[in-house]
Coordinates of all heavy atoms in Angstrom, one line a residue:
M1230 N -13.0 -106.7 -22.6 CA -11.5 -106.4 -22.9 C -10.8 -107.5 -22.3 O -11.1 -108.0 -21.2 CB -11.2 -105.1 -22.2 CG -9.7 -104.8 -22.5 SD -9.2 -103.3 -21.7 CE -9.5 -102.2 -23.1
A1231 N -9.8 -108.1 -22.9 CA -9.0 -109.2 -22.4 C -8.0 -108.8 -21.3 O -7.6 -107.6 -21.3 CB -8.2 -109.8 -23.5
D1232 N -7.6 -109.7 -20.4 CA -6.6 -109.4 -19.5 C -5.2 -109.3 -20.1 O -4.9 -110.1 -20.9 CB -6.6 -110.5 -18.4 CG -7.8 -110.5 -17.4 OD1 -8.3 -109.3 -17.2 OD2 -8.1 -111.5 -16.8
H1233 N -4.5 -108.3 -19.7 CA -3.1 -108.1 -20.2 C -2.2 -108.9 -19.2 O -2.2 -108.6 -18.1 CB -2.7 -106.6 -20.3 CG -3.7 -105.9 -21.4 ND1 -3.7 -106.1 -22.6 CD2 -4.7 -105.1 -21.2 CE1 -4.5 -105.5 -23.3 NE2 -5.3 -104.8 -22.4
R1234 N -1.4 -109.7 -19.8 CA -0.4 -110.6 -19.0 C 0.9 -109.9 -19.2 O 1.4 -109.7 -20.3 CB -0.5 -112.0 -19.5 CG -1.9 -112.7 -19.5 CD -2.3 -112.9 -18.1 NE -1.4 -113.9 -17.4 CZ -1.3 -114.2 -16.2 NH1 -2.2 -113.6 -15.4 NH2 -0.6 -115.1 -15.7
L1235 N 1.6 -109.8 -18.0 CA 3.0 -109.3 -18.0 C 3.8 -110.4 -17.6 O 3.6 -111.2 -16.5 CB 3.2 -108.1 -17.0 CG 4.5 -107.6 -16.9 CD1 4.4 -106.0 -16.8 CD2 5.3 -108.2 -15.7
T1236 N 4.9 -110.8 -18.3 CA 5.8 -111.9 -17.9 C 7.2 -111.2 -17.9 O 7.7 -110.8 -18.8 CB 5.8 -113.0 -19.0 OG1 4.4 -113.4 -19.1 CG2 6.6 -114.2 -18.5
I1237 N 7.8 -111.4 -16.7 CA 9.2 -111.0 -16.5 C 10.1 -112.0 -17.0 O 10.1 -113.2 -16.7 CB 9.6 -110.7 -15.0 CG1 8.6 -109.4 -14.5 CG2 10.9 -110.4 -14.7 CD1 8.7 -109.1 -13.1
D1238 N 11.2 -111.7 -17.8 CA 12.3 -112.5 -18.3 C 13.3 -112.5 -17.2 O 14.1 -111.6 -17.1 CB 12.8 -111.9 -19.5 CG 14.0 -112.9 -20.2 OD1 14.3 -113.7 -19.5 OD2 14.3 -112.5 -21.3
P1239 N 13.5 -113.6 -16.5 CA 14.5 -113.6 -15.3 C 16.0 -113.5 -15.8 O 16.7 -113.1 -15.0 CB 14.2 -115.0 -14.7 CG 13.4 -115.8 -15.6 CD 12.7 -114.9 -16.6
A1240 N 16.2 -113.8 -17.0 CA 17.6 -113.7 -17.5 C 18.0 -112.3 -17.7 O 19.2 -111.9 -17.9 CB 17.7 -114.5 -19.0
T1241 N 17.0 -111.3 -17.7 CA 17.4 -109.9 -17.8 C 17.4 -109.0 -16.6 O 17.8 -107.9 -16.7 CB 16.3 -109.2 -18.8 OG1 15.0 -109.2 -18.1 CG2 16.2 -109.9 -20.1
V1242 N 17.2 -109.7 -15.5 CA 17.3 -109.0 -14.2 C 18.7 -108.7 -13.8 O 19.6 -109.5 -13.7 CB 16.6 -109.8 -13.1 CG1 16.7 -109.1 -11.7 CG2 15.1 -110.1 -13.4
F1243 N 19.0 -107.5 -13.5 CA 20.2 -106.9 -13.0 C 20.1 -105.7 -12.1 O 19.2 -105.0 -12.1 CB 21.2 -106.6 -14.2 CG 21.0 -105.4 -14.9 CD1 21.7 -104.1 -14.5 CD2 20.0 -105.3 -16.0 CE1 21.4 -103.0 -15.2 CE2 19.8 -104.1 -16.6 CZ 20.5 -102.9 -16.3
D1244 N 21.0 -105.7 -11.1 CA 21.1 -104.6 -10.2 C 21.9 -103.4 -10.7 O 23.0 -103.5 -10.9 CB 21.7 -105.1 -8.8 CG 21.5 -104.2 -7.7 OD1 20.9 -103.2 -7.8 OD2 22.1 -104.6 -6.6
N1245 N 21.1 -102.4 -10.9 CA 21.8 -101.0 -11.2 C 22.0 -100.2 -9.8 O 21.1 -99.5 -9.4 CB 20.9 -100.2 -12.2 CG 21.5 -99.0 -12.7 OD1 22.4 -98.4 -12.0 ND2 21.0 -98.6 -13.9
V1246 N 23.2 -100.5 -9.3 CA 23.5 -99.9 -8.0 C 23.5 -98.5 -8.0 O 23.0 -97.8 -7.1 CB 24.8 -100.6 -7.5 CG1 25.2 -99.8 -6.1 CG2 24.7 -102.1 -7.3
D1247 N 24.0 -97.9 -9.0 CA 24.2 -96.5 -9.2 C 22.8 -95.7 -9.2 O 22.7 -94.6 -8.6 CB 24.9 -96.0 -10.5 CG 26.4 -96.5 -10.4 OD1 26.9 -96.7 -9.4 OD2 27.0 -96.7 -11.6
E1248 N 21.8 -96.3 -9.8 CA 20.4 -95.8 -9.9 C 19.6 -96.3 -8.7 O 18.4 -95.8 -8.6 CB 19.7 -96.1 -11.2 CG 20.5 -95.5 -12.5 CD 20.3 -94.1 -12.6 OE1 19.3 -93.5 -12.1 OE2 21.3 -93.4 -13.0
R1249 N 20.1 -97.2 -7.9 CA 19.3 -97.8 -6.7 C 18.0 -98.4 -7.2 O 16.9 -98.1 -6.7 CB 19.1 -96.8 -5.6 CG 20.4 -96.4 -5.0 CD 20.3 -95.5 -3.7 NE 19.2 -96.1 -2.8 CZ 19.5 -97.1 -2.0 NH1 20.7 -97.7 -1.9 NH2 18.5 -97.4 -1.0
R1250 N 18.2 -99.3 -8.3 CA 17.1 -100.0 -8.7 C 17.4 -101.3 -9.5 O 18.5 -101.5 -10.0 CB 16.2 -99.2 -9.6 CG 17.0 -98.7 -10.9 CD 16.2 -97.6 -11.7 NE 16.8 -97.5 -13.0 CZ 16.3 -96.5 -13.9 NH1 15.3 -95.7 -13.5 NH2 16.9 -96.3 -15.0
V1251 N 16.5 -102.3 -9.5 CA 16.7 -103.5 -10.3 C 16.1 -103.4 -11.5 O 14.8 -103.0 -11.6 CB 16.2 -104.7 -9.4 CG1 16.2 -105.9 -10.3 CG2 16.9 -104.9 -8.2
E1252 N 16.8 -103.5 -12.7 CA 16.2 -103.4 -14.0 C 15.9 -104.7 -14.6 O 16.6 -105.6 -14.2 CB 17.2 -102.6 -14.9 CG 17.3 -101.1 -14.3 CD 18.1 -100.2 -15.2 OE1 18.5 -100.6 -16.4 OE2 18.4 -99.1 -14.8
F1253 N 14.9 -104.8 -15.4 CA 14.5 -106.0 -16.1 C 13.6 -105.7 -17.3 O 13.1 -104.7 -17.5 CB 13.7 -106.9 -15.1 CG 12.5 -106.3 -14.5 CD1 11.2 -106.5 -15.0 CD2 12.5 -105.5 -13.4 CE1 10.1 -106.0 -14.5 CE2 11.4 -104.8 -12.9 CZ 10.1 -105.2 -13.4
A1254 N 13.6 -106.8 -18.1 CA 12.7 -106.8 -19.3 C 11.4 -107.7 -19.0 O 11.7 -108.7 -18.3 CB 13.4 -107.2 -20.5
A1255 N 10.4 -107.3 -19.7 CA 9.2 -108.1 -19.5 C 8.4 -107.9 -20.9 O 8.7 -107.0 -21.5 CB 8.4 -107.7 -18.3
T1256 N 7.5 -108.8 -21.0 CA 6.6 -108.7 -22.2 C 5.2 -108.6 -21.6 O 4.8 -109.2 -20.5 CB 6.6 -110.0 -23.1 OG1 6.3 -111.2 -22.3 CG2 8.0 -110.2 -23.8
I1257 N 4.4 -107.7 -22.3 CA 3.0 -107.6 -22.0 C 2.3 -108.0 -23.2 O 2.4 -107.3 -24.3 CB 2.7 -106.0 -21.6 CG1 3.5 -105.7 -20.4 CG2 1.2 -105.9 -21.4 CD1 3.3 -104.2 -20.1
D1258 N 1.5 -109.0 -23.3 CA 0.9 -109.6 -24.4 C 1.8 -109.7 -25.6 O 1.5 -109.4 -26.7 CB -0.4 -108.6 -24.8 CG -1.4 -108.6 -23.7 OD1 -1.5 -109.7 -23.0 OD2 -2.2 -107.7 -23.6
G1259 N 3.0 -110.2 -25.3 CA 4.0 -110.5 -26.3 C 4.9 -109.3 -26.7 O 5.7 -109.4 -27.4
E1260 N 4.6 -108.0 -26.3 CA 5.3 -106.9 -26.6 C 6.4 -106.6 -25.5 O 6.0 -106.5 -24.3 CB 4.3 -105.7 -26.7 CG 3.4 -105.7 -27.8 CD 4.1 -105.8 -29.2 OE1 5.1 -105.0 -29.3 OE2 3.6 -106.6 -30.0
P1261 N 7.7 -106.6 -25.9 CA 8.7 -106.3 -24.8 C 8.7 -104.9 -24.3 O 8.5 -103.9 -25.0 CB 10.1 -106.6 -25.7 CG 9.6 -106.3 -27.1 CD 8.2 -106.6 -27.2
R1262 N 9.0 -104.8 -23.1 CA 9.1 -103.4 -22.4 C 10.3 -103.5 -21.4 O 10.6 -104.6 -20.9 CB 7.9 -103.2 -21.6 CG 6.5 -103.1 -22.4 CD 6.4 -101.7 -23.1 NE 6.6 -100.5 -22.3 CZ 5.6 -99.8 -21.8 NH1 4.4 -100.3 -21.8 NH2 5.8 -98.8 -21.2
A1263 N 10.8 -102.3 -21.1 CA 11.9 -102.2 -20.1 C 11.3 -101.7 -18.9 O 10.5 -100.7 -18.8 CB 13.0 -101.3 -20.6
F1264 N 11.8 -102.2 -17.8 CA 11.3 -101.8 -16.4 C 12.4 -101.7 -15.5 O 13.5 -102.1 -15.6 CB 10.4 -103.0 -15.9 CG 9.0 -103.2 -16.5 CD1 9.0 -103.9 -17.6 CD2 7.9 -102.5 -16.0 CE1 7.7 -104.0 -18.3 CE2 6.8 -102.7 -16.7 CZ 6.6 -103.4 -17.8
A1265 N 12.1 -101.0 -14.3 CA 12.9 -100.9 -13.2 C 12.2 -100.8 -11.9 O 11.2 -100.1 -11.8 CB 13.8 -99.5 -13.3
A1266 N 12.6 -101.6 -10.9 CA 12.0 -101.6 -9.6 C 13.0 -101.0 -8.7 O 14.1 -101.4 -8.5 CB 11.7 -103.1 -9.1
Q1267 N 12.5 -99.8 -8.1 CA 13.5 -99.1 -7.3 C 13.6 -99.7 -6.0 O 12.8 -100.5 -5.5 CB 12.7 -97.6 -7.0 CG 12.7 -96.8 -8.2 CD 12.2 -95.4 -7.9 OE1 11.4 -95.1 -7.0 NE2 12.6 -94.5 -8.7
Y1268 N 14.7 -99.5 -5.4 CA 15.1 -100.0 -4.0 C 13.9 -99.8 -3.0 O 13.7 -100.6 -2.2 CB 16.4 -99.5 -3.5 CG 17.6 -100.3 -4.1 CD1 17.5 -100.9 -5.3 CD2 18.8 -100.0 -3.5 CE1 18.7 -101.5 -5.7 CE2 20.0 -100.6 -4.0 CZ 20.0 -101.3 -5.1 OH 21.1 -101.9 -5.7
D1269 N 13.3 -98.6 -3.0 CA 12.3 -98.3 -2.0 C 11.1 -99.4 -2.0 O 10.6 -99.7 -1.1 CB 11.8 -96.9 -2.1 CG 11.1 -96.5 -3.4 OD1 11.0 -97.3 -4.3 OD2 10.4 -95.5 -3.4
L1270 N 10.8 -99.8 -3.4 CA 9.8 -100.8 -3.5 C 10.3 -102.1 -2.9 O 9.5 -102.7 -2.1 CB 9.4 -101.0 -4.9 CG 8.5 -102.3 -5.1 CD1 7.2 -102.0 -4.7 CD2 8.5 -102.5 -6.7
L1271 N 11.4 -102.6 -3.1 CA 11.9 -103.8 -2.6 C 12.1 -103.7 -1.0 O 11.8 -104.8 -0.3 CB 13.3 -104.2 -3.3 CG 13.3 -104.3 -4.7 CD1 14.8 -104.5 -5.2 CD2 12.5 -105.5 -5.1
E1272 N 12.4 -102.5 -0.6 CA 12.6 -102.4 0.9 C 11.2 -102.6 1.5 O 11.0 -103.2 2.7 CB 13.2 -101.1 1.3 CG 13.4 -100.9 2.7 CD 14.3 -99.6 3.0 OE1 14.8 -99.0 2.1 OE2 14.5 -99.4 4.2
A1273 N 10.1 -101.9 0.9 CA 8.9 -102.0 1.5 C 8.2 -103.4 1.4 O 7.5 -103.9 2.3 CB 8.0 -101.0 0.7
L1274 N 8.5 -104.1 0.4 CA 8.1 -105.5 0.2 C 8.8 -106.5 1.2 O 8.0 -107.4 1.8 CB 8.2 -106.0 -1.3 CG 7.3 -105.3 -2.2 CD1 7.7 -105.8 -3.7 CD2 5.8 -105.5 -2.0
A1275 N 10.1 -106.2 1.3 CA 10.9 -107.2 2.2 C 11.0 -106.8 3.6 O 11.5 -107.7 4.4 CB 12.3 -107.4 1.4
A1276 N 10.8 -105.5 3.9 CA 11.0 -105.0 5.3 C 12.5 -105.2 5.6 O 12.8 -105.4 6.8 CB 10.1 -105.7 6.3
E1277 N 13.4 -104.9 4.6 CA 14.8 -104.9 4.9 C 15.4 -104.0 3.7 O 14.9 -103.9 2.6 CB 15.4 -106.2 4.9 CG 15.4 -107.0 3.7 CD 16.1 -108.3 3.8 OE1 15.5 -109.3 4.1 OE2 17.3 -108.4 3.5
T1278 N 16.6 -103.5 4.0 CA 17.3 -102.6 3.1 C 17.9 -103.5 2.0 O 18.7 -104.5 2.4 CB 18.3 -101.8 3.8 OG1 17.8 -101.1 4.8 CG2 19.0 -100.8 2.8
P1279 N 17.7 -103.2 0.8 CA 18.2 -104.1 -0.3 C 19.7 -104.2 -0.3 O 20.2 -105.4 -0.6 CB 17.7 -103.4 -1.6 CG 16.5 -102.7 -1.2 CD 16.8 -102.2 0.2
D1280 N 20.4 -103.2 -0.2 CA 21.9 -103.2 -0.2 C 22.5 -104.0 -1.4 O 22.1 -103.9 -2.5 CB 22.5 -103.5 1.1 CG 22.2 -102.4 2.1 OD1 22.1 -101.2 1.8 OD2 22.1 -102.7 3.3
D1281 N 23.2 -105.1 -0.9 CA 23.8 -106.0 -1.9 C 22.9 -107.2 -2.2 O 23.3 -108.2 -2.9 CB 25.2 -106.4 -1.4 CG 25.2 -107.3 -0.1 OD1 24.1 -107.2 0.6 OD2 26.2 -108.0 0.1
R1282 N 21.6 -107.3 -1.7 CA 20.7 -108.3 -1.9 C 19.6 -108.0 -2.7 O 18.5 -108.6 -2.7 CB 20.2 -108.8 -0.5 CG 21.3 -109.4 0.4 CD 20.9 -109.9 1.7 NE 19.5 -110.2 1.8 CZ 18.9 -111.3 1.4 NH1 19.6 -112.3 0.8 NH2 17.6 -111.6 1.6
A1283 N 19.6 -106.8 -3.5 CA 18.5 -106.4 -4.2 C 17.9 -107.3 -5.2 O 16.7 -107.6 -5.3 CB 18.8 -105.1 -5.0
V1284 N 18.8 -108.1 -5.9 CA 18.2 -109.0 -6.9 C 17.7 -110.1 -6.2 O 16.5 -110.7 -6.6 CB 19.3 -109.5 -7.9 CG1 18.9 -110.8 -8.7 CG2 19.9 -108.4 -8.8
A1285 N 18.1 -110.7 -5.1 CA 17.5 -111.8 -4.3 C 16.2 -111.3 -3.9 O 15.3 -112.2 -3.9 CB 18.5 -112.2 -3.2
L1286 N 16.0 -110.2 -3.3 CA 14.8 -109.6 -2.8 C 13.7 -109.5 -3.9 O 12.7 -109.8 -3.8 CB 15.0 -108.3 -2.1 CG 15.8 -108.4 -0.8 CD1 15.9 -106.9 -0.3 CD2 15.1 -109.3 0.3
F1287 N 14.3 -109.1 -5.1 CA 13.4 -109.0 -6.2 C 12.8 -110.3 -6.7 O 11.6 -110.4 -6.8 CB 14.3 -108.4 -7.5 CG 13.6 -108.3 -8.8 CD1 12.8 -107.2 -9.1 CD2 13.5 -109.4 -9.7 CE1 12.2 -107.2 -10.3 CE2 12.8 -109.3 -10.8 CZ 12.1 -108.1 -11.2
H1288 N 13.6 -111.4 -6.7 CA 13.2 -112.7 -7.0 C 12.2 -113.2 -5.9 O 11.3 -114.0 -6.2 CB 14.4 -113.6 -7.2 CG 15.1 -113.5 -8.5 ND1 14.4 -113.7 -9.7 CD2 16.3 -112.9 -8.8 CE1 15.3 -113.4 -10.7 NE2 16.4 -113.0 -10.2
R1289 N 12.6 -112.9 -4.7 CA 11.7 -113.4 -3.5 C 10.3 -112.8 -3.7 O 9.3 -113.5 -3.4 CB 12.3 -113.0 -2.2 CG 11.5 -113.6 -1.1 CD 11.9 -113.2 0.5 NE 13.4 -113.3 0.6 CZ 14.0 -112.6 1.5 NH1 13.3 -111.8 2.2 NH2 15.2 -112.7 1.7
H1290 N 10.2 -111.6 -4.1 CA 8.9 -110.9 -4.2 C 8.4 -110.8 -5.7 O 7.6 -109.9 -6.0 CB 8.9 -109.6 -3.5 CG 9.3 -109.7 -2.1 ND1 8.3 -110.0 -1.2 CD2 10.4 -109.6 -1.5 CE1 8.8 -110.1 0.0 NE2 10.1 -109.8 -0.2
L1291 N 8.9 -111.7 -6.6 CA 8.5 -111.6 -8.0 C 7.1 -111.6 -8.3 O 6.7 -110.7 -9.1 CB 9.2 -112.8 -8.7 CG 9.1 -112.8 -10.2 CD1 9.9 -111.6 -10.7 CD2 9.7 -114.1 -10.9
P1292 N 6.2 -112.4 -7.7 CA 4.9 -112.3 -8.1 C 4.2 -110.9 -7.8 O 3.5 -110.4 -8.5 CB 4.1 -113.3 -7.2 CG 5.2 -114.3 -7.0 CD 6.5 -113.5 -6.8
R1293 N 4.6 -110.3 -6.7 CA 4.0 -109.0 -6.4 C 4.6 -107.9 -7.3 O 4.0 -107.0 -7.8 CB 4.4 -108.6 -4.9 CG 3.7 -107.4 -4.4 CD 2.2 -107.5 -4.4 NE 1.6 -106.3 -3.7 CZ 0.6 -105.6 -4.2 NH1 0.1 -105.9 -5.5 NH2 0.3 -104.5 -3.7
V1294 N 6.0 -108.0 -7.5 CA 6.7 -107.0 -8.4 C 6.0 -107.1 -9.8 O 5.7 -106.1 -10.4 CB 8.1 -107.3 -8.5 CG1 8.8 -106.5 -9.5 CG2 8.8 -107.1 -7.1
Q1295 N 5.7 -108.3 -10.2 CA 5.1 -108.5 -11.5 C 3.6 -107.9 -11.5 O 3.3 -107.1 -12.6 CB 4.9 -110.1 -11.8 CG 4.6 -110.3 -13.2 CD 4.8 -111.9 -13.5 OE1 6.0 -112.2 -13.5 NE2 3.8 -112.5 -13.7
E1296 N 2.8 -108.0 -10.5 CA 1.6 -107.3 -10.5 C 1.7 -105.8 -10.5 O 0.9 -105.1 -11.2 CB 0.9 -107.7 -9.2 CG 0.3 -109.1 -9.0 CD -0.1 -109.4 -7.5 OE1 -0.4 -108.3 -6.9 OE2 -0.3 -110.5 -7.3
L1297 N 2.7 -105.2 -9.7 CA 2.8 -103.8 -9.7 C 3.5 -103.3 -11.0 O 3.2 -102.2 -11.4 CB 3.8 -103.4 -8.5 CG 3.2 -103.8 -7.1 CD1 4.3 -103.7 -6.0 CD2 2.0 -102.9 -6.8
A1298 N 4.3 -104.1 -11.7 CA 4.8 -103.7 -12.9 C 3.7 -103.5 -13.9 O 3.8 -102.6 -14.8 CB 5.9 -104.7 -13.4
A1299 N 2.7 -104.3 -13.9 CA 1.6 -104.3 -14.8 C 0.9 -103.1 -14.7 O 0.4 -102.4 -15.6 CB 0.8 -105.5 -14.7
V1300 N 0.7 -102.7 -13.4 CA -0.1 -101.5 -13.0 C 0.7 -100.3 -13.6 O 0.2 -99.4 -14.1 CB -0.4 -101.5 -11.5 CG1 -0.9 -100.1 -11.2 CG2 -1.4 -102.5 -11.1
A1301 N 1.9 -100.3 -13.2 CA 2.9 -99.1 -13.6 C 2.9 -99.0 -15.2 O 2.9 -97.9 -15.7 CB 4.2 -99.3 -13.0
A1302 N 2.8 -100.1 -15.9 CA 2.9 -100.2 -17.4 C 1.7 -99.5 -17.9 O 1.8 -98.7 -18.9 CB 3.2 -101.6 -18.0
A1303 N 0.6 -99.9 -17.3 CA -0.7 -99.2 -17.7 C -0.7 -97.8 -17.5 O -1.3 -97.0 -18.3 CB -1.8 -99.9 -17.1
R1304 N -0.1 -97.3 -16.5 CA 0.0 -95.9 -16.1 C 0.9 -95.1 -17.0 O 0.7 -94.0 -17.5 CB 0.3 -95.7 -14.7 CG 0.5 -94.3 -14.2 CD 1.1 -94.1 -12.8 NE 2.5 -94.6 -12.9 CZ 3.1 -95.4 -12.1 NH1 2.3 -96.1 -11.2 NH2 4.4 -95.7 -12.2
D1305 N 2.0 -95.8 -17.4 CA 3.2 -95.1 -18.2 C 3.4 -95.7 -19.4 O 4.5 -96.3 -19.7 CB 4.5 -95.1 -17.3 CG 4.4 -94.3 -16.1 OD1 3.6 -93.2 -16.1 OD2 5.1 -94.6 -15.1
Q1306 N 2.5 -95.8 -20.3 CA 2.5 -96.4 -21.6 C 3.4 -95.9 -22.5 O 3.9 -96.6 -23.4 CB 1.1 -96.6 -22.3 CG 0.1 -97.4 -21.4 CD -1.3 -97.4 -22.1 OE1 -1.5 -96.8 -23.2 NE2 -2.2 -98.1 -21.5
D1307 N 4.0 -94.7 -22.4 CA 4.8 -94.0 -23.3 C 6.3 -93.9 -22.8 O 7.2 -93.3 -23.5 CB 4.3 -92.6 -23.8 CG 2.9 -92.7 -24.5 OD1 2.8 -93.7 -25.3 OD2 2.2 -91.8 -24.5
Q1308 N 6.5 -94.4 -21.7 CA 7.8 -94.3 -21.1 C 8.8 -95.3 -21.6 O 8.5 -96.5 -21.9 CB 7.8 -94.5 -19.5 CG 6.9 -93.5 -18.9 CD 7.5 -92.1 -19.1 OE1 8.7 -91.9 -18.9 NE2 6.7 -91.1 -19.3
A1309 N 10.0 -95.0 -21.8 CA 11.1 -95.9 -22.3 C 11.4 -97.0 -21.3 O 11.5 -98.1 -21.6 CB 12.4 -95.2 -22.7
I1310 N 11.5 -96.6 -20.0 CA 11.6 -97.5 -19.0 C 10.5 -97.2 -17.9 O 10.4 -96.1 -17.4 CB 12.9 -97.3 -18.2 CG1 14.1 -97.7 -19.3 CG2 13.1 -98.2 -17.0 CD1 15.5 -97.5 -18.6
V1311 N 9.6 -98.3 -17.6 CA 8.6 -98.1 -16.6 C 9.3 -98.3 -15.3 O 9.7 -99.4 -15.1 CB 7.5 -99.2 -16.9 CG1 6.5 -99.0 -15.9 CG2 6.9 -99.0 -18.3
V1312 N 9.2 -97.3 -14.4 CA 9.7 -97.4 -13.1 C 8.7 -97.8 -12.2 O 7.5 -97.1 -12.1 CB 10.3 -96.0 -12.7 CG1 10.9 -96.0 -11.3 CG2 11.5 -95.7 -13.7
V1313 N 8.9 -98.8 -11.4 CA 7.9 -99.2 -10.3 C 8.5 -98.9 -9.0 O 9.7 -99.2 -8.7 CB 7.7 -100.7 -10.4 CG1 6.6 -101.2 -9.4 CG2 7.5 -101.2 -11.8
S1314 N 7.7 -98.1 -8.1 CA 8.3 -97.6 -6.9 C 7.4 -98.0 -5.7 O 6.2 -98.5 -5.9 CB 8.6 -96.2 -6.9 OG 7.3 -95.5 -7.0
E1315 N 7.7 -97.7 -4.6 CA 6.9 -97.8 -3.3 C 5.5 -97.2 -3.5 O 4.5 -97.6 -3.0 CB 7.6 -97.3 -2.2 CG 6.9 -97.4 -0.8 CD 7.7 -96.9 0.3 OE1 8.6 -96.1 0.2 OE2 7.3 -97.3 1.5
N1316 N 5.6 -96.0 -4.3 CA 4.2 -95.4 -4.5 C 3.1 -96.3 -5.2 O 2.0 -96.0 -5.1 CB 4.4 -94.1 -5.3 CG 5.2 -93.2 -4.6 OD1 5.3 -93.0 -3.5 ND2 5.9 -92.2 -5.5
D1317 N 3.6 -97.2 -5.9 CA 2.7 -98.2 -6.6 C 2.0 -99.1 -5.7 O 1.1 -99.9 -6.1 CB 3.4 -99.0 -7.8 CG 3.8 -98.0 -8.9 OD1 3.0 -97.3 -9.4 OD2 5.1 -98.0 -9.3
L1318 N 2.4 -99.2 -4.4 CA 1.8 -100.1 -3.4 C 0.5 -99.5 -2.8 O -0.2 -100.2 -2.4 CB 2.8 -100.3 -2.2 CG 4.0 -101.2 -2.5 CD1 4.9 -101.1 -1.3 CD2 3.5 -102.6 -2.8
A1319 N 0.4 -98.1 -3.1 CA -0.9 -97.6 -2.6 C -2.2 -97.8 -3.3 O -2.1 -98.2 -4.5 CB -0.7 -96.1 -2.5

């Protein structure tokens, strides 16, 4: 079986403050998907509260977020928005 590659489109990254998550689009093997990285994930990765720096923290930890998003996508193949949280670090 071939490796599935997830690529985040940096132009789609935005902070959804009301939902406390950074939302973004990515492609997996060329297929577009919607994702959201919860603030708890960013806080665990950065060891600081995201507050008004959530997008900056997201970009700082992009390689790790990308890995975790691929895992979450494999787990939640039928979800409209794949949510990546601190639980995915385990």
Side-chain angles (χ1 to χ4, degrees):
M1230 178 182 270
D1232 287 334
H1233 298 290
R1234 302 289 294 168
L1235 182 139
T1236 305
I1237 294 174
D1238 179 355
T1241 64
V1242 176
F1243 72 96
D1244 190 0
N1245 184 336
V1246 177
D1247 294 336
E1248 297 289 328
R1249 295 191 45 80
R1250 62 191 192 183
V1251 174
E1252 296 185 11
F1253 58 98
T1256 57
I1257 301 174
D1258 295 335
E1260 295 296 319
R1262 298 284 305 269
F1264 290 84
Q1267 292 185 331
Y1268 278 18
D1269 68 349
L1270 171 68
L1271 300 174
E1272 185 169 358
L1274 291 172
E1277 68 178 88
T1278 305
D1280 295 330
D1281 62 345
R1282 296 180 24 80
V1284 170
L1286 294 176
F1287 177 91
H1288 285 293
R1289 184 185 312 157
H1290 297 280
L1291 187 64
R1293 186 69 174 129
V1294 171
Q1295 194 163 289
E1296 291 172 14
L1297 296 169
V1300 170
R1304 180 190 67 235
D1305 293 331
Q1306 294 180 4
D1307 295 328
Q1308 297 298 316
I1310 297 178
V1311 178
V1312 178
V1313 189
S1314 72
E1315 183 180 16
N1316 294 335
D1317 292 304
L1318 290 171

